[in-house]
């Protein structure tokens, strides 16, 4: 990434001390702009500037410049290395390529999935089945930039854009794409073009798309799970298909708020006891950096289940939530059930009367059920 791009971004999140980055959609738009310019002029602009939905005008250095001008129609390919800034993004460092070729007048802009970009195979996403997994906002950005380049260099704007990502199919194994029915590679994402560090917007977007796919498939029961162990527990409990399992992670609030707007008949929330104790205490972000296990809260909750003052004091000074749970189990106090029930109540409060039945399952680290609500 060139100095102009770095400088333009640094002010955006100056108050956080973290460096923002660019989405795959922004990278694909930059590569498309450069490739189409080269197709019309014979020269690749490097760096290439684009305009994002909120008005930012970053510039991207090109990692690939290929112009083929054989006996047939010329084809241009440009590539940009994605810089996700300080966000822990699995696509950071990926090479996003765009290959542009002319189409007959009146064809408009046609998108194709190249190597490493997935194809939609299930309904419920904002793209039709069979379409390349290039999301609506990146498509709009690419169309706008094609139109701009065409106006500047007397082109028709009728082009085929093939977006590819080097090693994208391998990278996609670390994403939700397979479960969402996006096969063969990554999705080209981005609504603003900017990756905000630790916003985990892509994860939250995947949660939303997971709900959409489940609803489109006619499922009436989905499960928000904090990790692979809770997924296994829910699968054993309810025999749910993969597309019913929402990889909630720490984003309980994201699941609940989206299901509130897009209801399913039943939502199961399953996760580790300590994480779900945070939901029980009213936290919607369960990450350890943003919420902590509230042991005085657990002690007060245990008192409602029959714990005496001595046990409550021991819970308050416990090292971990799991230790508090074990102390209560030894004393016959159903803290796991109490936490699950309170977490369910908090979930229902967020749902605000939406027609969704909720149950909560707390597990220990081995996946054993330690509480139901």
């Amino acid at each position: 990434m060139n100095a102009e791009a770095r400088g333009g971004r640094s002010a955006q999140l100056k108050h956080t001390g973290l460096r923002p980055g660019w989405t795959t959609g922004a990278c694909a738009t930059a590569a498309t702009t450069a490739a189409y310019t080269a197709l019309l002029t014979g020269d690749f602009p490097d760096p290439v500037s684009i305009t994002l939905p909120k008005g930012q005008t970053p510039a991207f250095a090109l990692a690939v410049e290929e112009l083929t001008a054989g006996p047939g129609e010329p084809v241009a390919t440009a590539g940009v290395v994605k810089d996700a800034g300080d966000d822990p993004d699995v696509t950071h460092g990926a090479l996003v390529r765009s290959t542009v070729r002319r189409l007959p007048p009146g064809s408009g802009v046609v998108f194709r999935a190249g190597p490493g970009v997935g194809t939609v195979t299930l309904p419920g996403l904002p793209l039709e089945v069979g379409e390349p997994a290039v999301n609506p906002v990146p498509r709009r950005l690419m169309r706008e930039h094609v139109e701009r380049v065409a106006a500047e260099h007397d082109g028709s704007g009728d082009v085929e854009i093939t977006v590819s990502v080097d090693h994208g199919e391998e990278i996609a194994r670390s994403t939700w794409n397979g479960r969402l029915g996006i096969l063969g590679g990554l999705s080209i994402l981005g609504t603003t073009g900017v990756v905000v560090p630790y916003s985990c917007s892509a994860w939250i977007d995947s949660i939303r798309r997971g709900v959409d796919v489940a609803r489109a498939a006619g499922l009436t029961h989905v499960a928000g799970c904090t990790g692979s162990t809770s997924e296994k527990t829910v699968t054993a409990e309810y025999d749910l298909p993969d597309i019913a399992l929402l990889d909630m992670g720490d984003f309980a609030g994201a699941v609940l708020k989206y299901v509130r707007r897009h209801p399913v008949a039943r939502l199961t929330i399953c996760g580790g006891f300590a994480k779900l104790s945070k939901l029980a205490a009213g936290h919607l972000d369960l990450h350890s950096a943003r919420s902590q296990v509230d042991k005085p809260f657990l002690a007060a909750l245990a008192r409602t289940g029959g714990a005496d003052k001595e046990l409550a004091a021991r819970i308050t000074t416990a090292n971990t939530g799991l230790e508090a749970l074990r102390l209560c189990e030894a004393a016959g106090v159903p803290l796991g059930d109490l936490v699950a029930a309170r977490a369910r109540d908090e979930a229902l409060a967020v749902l605000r009367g939406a027609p969704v039945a909720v149950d909560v399952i707390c597990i220990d680290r081995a996946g054993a059920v330690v509480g139901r609500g």
Side-chain angles (χ1 to χ4, degrees), residues 146-160:
V146 162
E147 183 178 350
R148 186 177 308 165
V149 172
E152 291 175 357
H153 302 291
D154 196 27
S156 71
D158 300 291
V159 295
E160 177 188 84

Side-chain angles (χ1 to χ4, degrees), residues 338-352:
L338 293 168
V339 163
R342 183 64 68 88
R344 180 197 61 218
D345 291 345
E346 291 293 330
L348 290 171
V350 175
L351 289 170
R352 298 178 188 171

